[in-house]
Amino acid sequence: VSEVERGSSLRQRAERALDDRFLQQALTIATTKFQTLRREAFDGFAEGEDLRARARAIKEATLQSLDRYLEQLIDRVEQRGGQVHYATTDAEARRIIVDIAKRTGARMAVKSKSMATEEIHLNEALAEVGVTPVETDLGEYIIQLAHERPSHIIAPAIHKTRGQVAELFARELGRPVEADPEVLTRIARAELRQKFLRADLGITGANFAVADTGTIVLVTNEGNGRMVTALPRVHVALVGVEKVVPSLTDLMVFLAILARSATGQKLSVYTTLAQGPRRAGELEGPDEFHVVLLDNGRVRQLAGPLREALACLRCGACLNVCPVYRQIGGHAYGSTYPGPIGILVTAMLDGPESVKELAHASSLCGACAEACPVQIDIPRMLVELRQEVNRKKIAPRSERVVFRTFAWLLRHPALYRVAAAWARVVQRPFVRNGVIHRLPFFFAHWTRTRDLPAVAPRSFHERWTGLRAEDDDGRR
Amino acid sequence: MTTRSEFLDRIRTEMRKTPGLFPATVARRPARPAAEAEIVRRELAERWPETLGRFRLEFERVGGILHRAATVRDVPAIIGTLARERGARSVVTWPAITLGGDLVGDLGGLGLDVLVMPEAEVAGPERARLRAPIAEAAVGVTGVDLAIAETGTLVLRSGSGRPRSTSLLPPYHVALFDRGALVESLAQLGIFLEAWHAGPDGAGLGAMINFITGPSRTADIELTLTRGVHGPAEVHAVFVEAGLGG
């Protein structure tokens, strides 16, 4: 996301996305495909529902003893020769990793896809001290060359055409490149292979961190997670505190649903269990193994309204089913984490004022909650965020006045009936075939992209009274 | 800088403010994982043909290629054929002790350049020197700890004589296994993982376990599925009927 985009409003960004014909097509194809793959994966998987409930219960149980499991994780990592660092803020996490890079004399860092490192804007911090960060997930590599941010949690470059990718590669290599995905992938393999072999530092996130064994678990399809943990002499894993799971038995429950929810695979191609530095007799593996535990707003949600969002596995299923995401794509959200869960995570990291617009970027249809492998009730928390945004007077004044008036009317039935009768008269010039296509003044924002149903000739209350009278007559 | 105790204290402070959302328990772990793993093995010994059938189905579904060899002596010919068909000449292989059979002589006889990985600890400069030839090799030959039928997955532990790069850097990965490696499900894999970690760390075992489910793949450019982006473009599993030694 460029600086210009960050400064713009959600509406401006959404409008730009809606006008982008390639993006519209790409979003429809990608999200529809992911949805179908996910549905097919769960259709033939009888124990799927049971595993989702168990996975959620494990997350909840882990949070209820989070201090204990983190202590166990820390002890096990240290016993295996690793080092653990503690980052309360994003700035602290950056400083820790930059210090490791400087102390070990690193010049180049290869990274496997990690939303946590995106969240703390690590690449900029590394570049500032002369360490070249190289994203090695193909999608991330593409958007790094384009100086953008991921537009989807698991498919970061779905907004790019093959032609755009070929142009980026051509600029990087200084020679023309054919716009064919096979050719482009081969070029990326050759380019990044050299970097894997040369890099001093491997930086990863973690899909899971197993407390009982001190294991950092990475799930990838390309194999870059294996490269960055095997080849560089230093490995740093940035791990959100909520990523801890108690045991390897628990891990199996999550692995059985994660890839199915993300891409419809039974397992991703590579599940990598990294436990400490290279051991005697091994040919590869890092000399130093660092785990950086990251709070950055997570811990206060243990007792906060967004606690449920700490169960998120970052699978992206809620993005693919969200009618808003499917229209505007990831960049329009203007935050690191897009989609329904992204709104909650953004509020978690940056506070509710950061989502005063985004909290409304949802139709509350509930598709996200249904798709979520750990059954997170995303719509409930979005409604609560809207309430909070309203209560703290962060929301725009016009919106607050409208909702306050409406709430007040709902509490006064007599006045509500009068207002409804009045509205039936006032709406007359605007109603065509039972719907309102266009309203004047600032109400026009609402009707510009959608219709408003007209106030009915008789209210439900009136009809109900009538129906009951008929019913009583019938029975008699 | 935040210290361990400051970090954990903050978490405890927040935890005290809420009892949690609902009563919940973690997964029930095997009480005696080593014994339970042995029971799984014994039960599966009787029905390995079904397990192999399921493995084949899932392994092929994820793009793997399964071969069957009567004995370990038939393996070099399989590797020779697939190398020849792909114009590959160089092979890097785990040593006989971790592979369960000695292929070096026969592979050499087929005109292949064979580089055998060291069995034990080698010094830093030698480790660095080996990296280039491994990266340039066309075929990487490894053993397998477990083969998961439910998902078509090969599980490889790193360690002495079990380098990680053999199954990662060459474009063609060939993995040897026998009926002893077959298990049915991820749940059974969980029991074995617990068993491997139950005692003190085993001598010679490394710091990495990989589950490999088919060839390396990506769909990051216009959702076009492409194989071999960073890891191998092909994964061949060779089932040795008569079993592997060691």
Side-chain angles (χ1 to χ4, degrees):
Chain A
V1 181
S2 68
E3 287 309 315
V4 183
E5 266 187 67
R6 227 176 271 163
S8 61
S9 72
L10 169 65
R11 187 185 305 147
Q12 289 166 323
R13 294 190 304 263
E15 259 165 35
R16 247 195 323 270
L18 292 169
D19 287 341
D20 184 335
R21 282 184 56 202
F22 172 78
L23 180 66
Q24 287 300 307
Q25 200 189 339
L27 280 169
T28 305
I29 295 171
T31 54
T32 306
K33 183 165 184 178
F34 282 135
Q35 271 189 54
T36 310
L37 291 170
R38 181 185 145 268
R39 206 170 35 239
E40 285 170 1
F42 275 97
D43 275 351
F45 187 50
E47 58 269 53
E49 278 310 300
D50 176 47
L51 284 173
R52 286 173 67 189
R54 280 175 59 197
R56 177 58 195 281
I58 293 167
K59 278 281 179 188
E60 177 57 28
T62 309
L63 291 180
Q64 286 172 17
S65 307
L66 186 63
D67 59 334
R68 199 157 55 77
Y69 289 119
L70 282 175
E71 270 192 293
Q72 205 181 355
L73 174 73
I74 296 161
D75 289 343
R76 291 302 280 154
V77 168
E78 288 176 350
Q79 279 164 22
R80 288 176 184 268
Q83 294 174 54
V84 183
H85 311 260
Y86 308 91
T88 305
T89 63
D90 54 347
E92 201 172 357
R94 284 195 299 272
R95 199 162 59 233
I96 290 165
I97 299 174
V98 163
D99 283 350
I100 293 170
K102 284 203 279 198
R103 183 178 51 71
T104 56
R107 312 241 336 250
M108 187 197 288
V110 280
K111 295 179 63 200
S112 79
K113 205 172 99 53
S114 151
M115 292 304 290
T117 61
E118 291 278 350
E119 167 190 328
I120 66 162
H121 302 283
L122 179 63
N123 288 359
E124 293 87 333
L126 287 171
E128 261 172 42
V129 296
V131 181
T132 309
V134 180
E135 295 290 350
T136 63
D137 171 85
L138 180 57
E140 291 272 350
Y141 180 61
I142 291 166
I143 61 163
Q144 190 185 26
L145 291 179
H147 304 290
E148 291 180 13
R149 288 195 175 277
S151 66
H152 190 287
I153 292 177
I154 62 157
I158 46 169
H159 59 288
K160 287 268 177 257
T161 65
R162 61 185 73 191
Q164 289 171 327
V165 176
E167 265 172 50
L168 288 168
F169 281 21
R171 206 178 59 198
E172 175 74 7
L173 303 176
R175 62 177 165 87
V177 168
E178 193 189 334
D180 173 72
E182 287 268 354
V183 174
L184 293 167
T185 304
R186 267 204 307 278
I187 291 171
R189 178 183 170 104
E191 277 296 298
L192 290 169
R193 178 59 70 92
Q194 294 316 310
K195 298 191 156 90
F196 285 129
L197 292 169
R198 265 187 17 232
D200 321 279
L201 188 58
I203 299 177
T204 70
N207 290 91
F208 307 96
V210 184
D212 184 53
T213 51
T215 306
I216 298 299
V217 183
L218 301 172
V219 176
T220 72
N221 274 319
E222 300 182 358
N224 53 329
R226 294 187 59 190
M227 295 280 185
V228 304
T229 52
L231 302 178
R233 57 191 159 84
V234 181
H235 173 201
V236 180
L238 179 64
V239 184
V241 290
E242 82 284 13
K243 294 290 177 190
V244 65
V245 298
S247 72
L248 291 164
T249 305
D250 294 299
L251 174 68
M252 290 298 122
V253 177
F254 291 104
L255 289 180
I257 54 172
L258 174 61
R260 281 183 164 95
S261 301
T263 54
Q265 292 164 281
K266 290 194 171 86
L267 275 184
S268 297
V269 176
Y270 300 109
T271 304
T272 299
L273 279 61
Q275 9 203 52
R278 184 189 79 91
R279 294 201 205 144
E282 280 198 273
L283 195 60
E284 304 96 1
D287 300 328
E288 292 186 23
F289 181 84
H290 298 269
V291 173
V292 182
L293 290 176
L294 179 67
D295 171 355
N296 199 24
R298 290 165 171 81
V299 169
R300 66 168 173 244
Q301 292 303 337
L302 284 171
L306 300 171
R307 177 187 171 100
E308 250 195 290
L310 291 170
C312 174
L313 307 181
R314 310 278 189 261
C315 70
C318 62
L319 278 58
N320 301 325
V321 298
C322 176
V324 176
Y325 178 88
R326 287 169 56 98
Q327 292 299 317
I328 66 174
H331 286 164
Y333 288 78
S335 47
T336 302
Y337 296 90
I341 192 67
I343 301 171
L344 302 177
V345 175
T346 304
M348 187 184 289
L349 305 178
D350 301 332
E353 49 296 336
S354 66
V355 296
K356 62 181 177 188
E357 289 185 305
L358 281 175
H360 296 274
S362 163
S363 64
L364 303 180
C365 69
C368 49
E370 219 167 275
C372 177
V374 284
Q375 306 174 329
I376 300 173
D377 192 348
I378 298 172
R380 176 186 64 78
M381 286 185 280
L382 285 173
V383 169
E384 285 175 11
L385 267 178
R386 289 179 189 185
Q387 285 169 343
E388 188 172 358
V389 161
N390 185 54
R391 204 167 46 237
K392 288 194 173 159
K393 301 198 182 352
I394 311 165
R397 200 180 142 74
S398 55
E399 182 186 310
R400 280 187 283 131
V401 169
V402 168
F403 280 118
R404 206 182 313 147
T405 310
F406 193 61
W408 183 76
L409 275 176
L410 287 177
R411 283 195 303 269
H412 299 84
L415 283 170
Y416 180 83
R417 278 193 289 276
V418 171
W422 182 74
R424 272 178 214 126
V425 177
V426 175
Q427 74 179 356
R428 258 180 223 153
F430 307 103
V431 179
R432 299 274 179 281
N433 302 324
V435 291
I436 296 168
H437 291 300
R438 198 168 297 158
L439 280 172
F441 313 123
F442 64 82
F443 298 111
H445 289 316
W446 176 276
T447 51
R448 207 165 44 89
T449 52
R450 66 206 131 174
D451 295 335
L452 191 67
V455 179
R458 292 172 70 211
S459 72
F460 175 75
H461 203 95
E462 288 158 359
R463 285 167 59 199
W464 180 248
T465 316
L467 281 171
R468 206 157 52 178
E470 274 172 42
D471 192 39
D472 287 349
D473 285 347
R475 238 180 261 170
R476 229 176 271 138
Chain B
M1 287 286 166
T2 309
T3 64
R4 168 177 171 149
S5 58
E6 286 165 359
F7 195 79
L8 290 171
D9 280 349
R10 229 181 88 69
I11 288 170
R12 290 191 188 103
T13 306
E14 293 301 317
M15 284 174 63
R16 272 194 291 273
K17 294 182 193 166
T18 177
L21 292 175
F22 55 89
T25 50
V26 302
R28 205 173 52 79
R29 298 171 61 186
R32 293 163 53 241
E36 287 180 45
E38 201 40 53
I39 291 168
V40 170
R41 243 196 235 287
R42 220 175 305 138
E43 282 175 1
L44 289 178
E46 286 157 30
R47 53 172 190 274
W48 68 266
E50 291 96 303
T51 314
L52 180 64
R54 176 80 197 276
F55 174 81
R56 168 174 220 146
L57 185 75
E58 296 297 335
F59 185 63
E60 288 176 350
R61 194 173 276 171
V62 296
I65 301 163
L66 186 75
H67 307 259
R68 292 177 81 138
T71 71
V72 73
R73 308 179 121 249
D74 301 308
V75 174
I78 293 170
I79 297 174
T81 304
L82 75 89
R84 195 173 57 247
E85 285 170 358
R86 286 155 186 79
R89 289 189 45 92
S90 50
V91 176
V92 54
T93 174
W94 284 5
I97 186 154
T98 50
L99 206 56
D102 192 349
L103 315 178
V104 179
D106 290 347
L107 286 174
L110 292 164
L112 295 166
D113 301 326
V114 185
L115 175 65
V116 183
M117 293 289 97
E119 275 176 34
E121 175 76 4
V122 291
E126 174 66 2
R127 291 204 303 272
R129 198 193 59 76
L130 275 169
R131 192 159 284 184
I134 298 169
E136 280 154 24
V139 182
V141 183
T142 73
V144 161
D145 289 284
L146 292 173
I148 318 299
E150 181 189 358
T151 53
T153 301
L154 305 170
V155 177
L156 276 70
R157 287 190 283 177
S158 73
S160 297
R162 317 165 60 87
R164 312 168 187 192
S165 56
T166 318
S167 61
L168 182 63
L169 296 179
Y172 309 113
H173 174 204
V174 180
L176 275 49
F177 73 117
D178 60 17
R179 67 184 72 168
L182 282 166
V183 298
E184 287 169 328
S185 63
L186 286 178
Q188 288 175 350
L189 168 60
I191 297 171
F192 280 84
L193 287 175
E194 294 274 7
W196 292 342
H197 290 85
D201 285 341
L205 275 182
M208 170 75 60
I209 302 171
N210 272 299
F211 309 167
I212 301 173
T213 310
S216 159
R217 57 178 249 180
T218 186
D220 275 349
I221 302 174
E222 293 192 6
L223 292 179
T224 310
L225 184 68
T226 313
R227 298 228 160 100
V229 53
H230 292 311
E234 292 181 21
V235 179
H236 298 259
V238 182
F239 182 75
V240 181
E241 317 259 356
L244 290 156

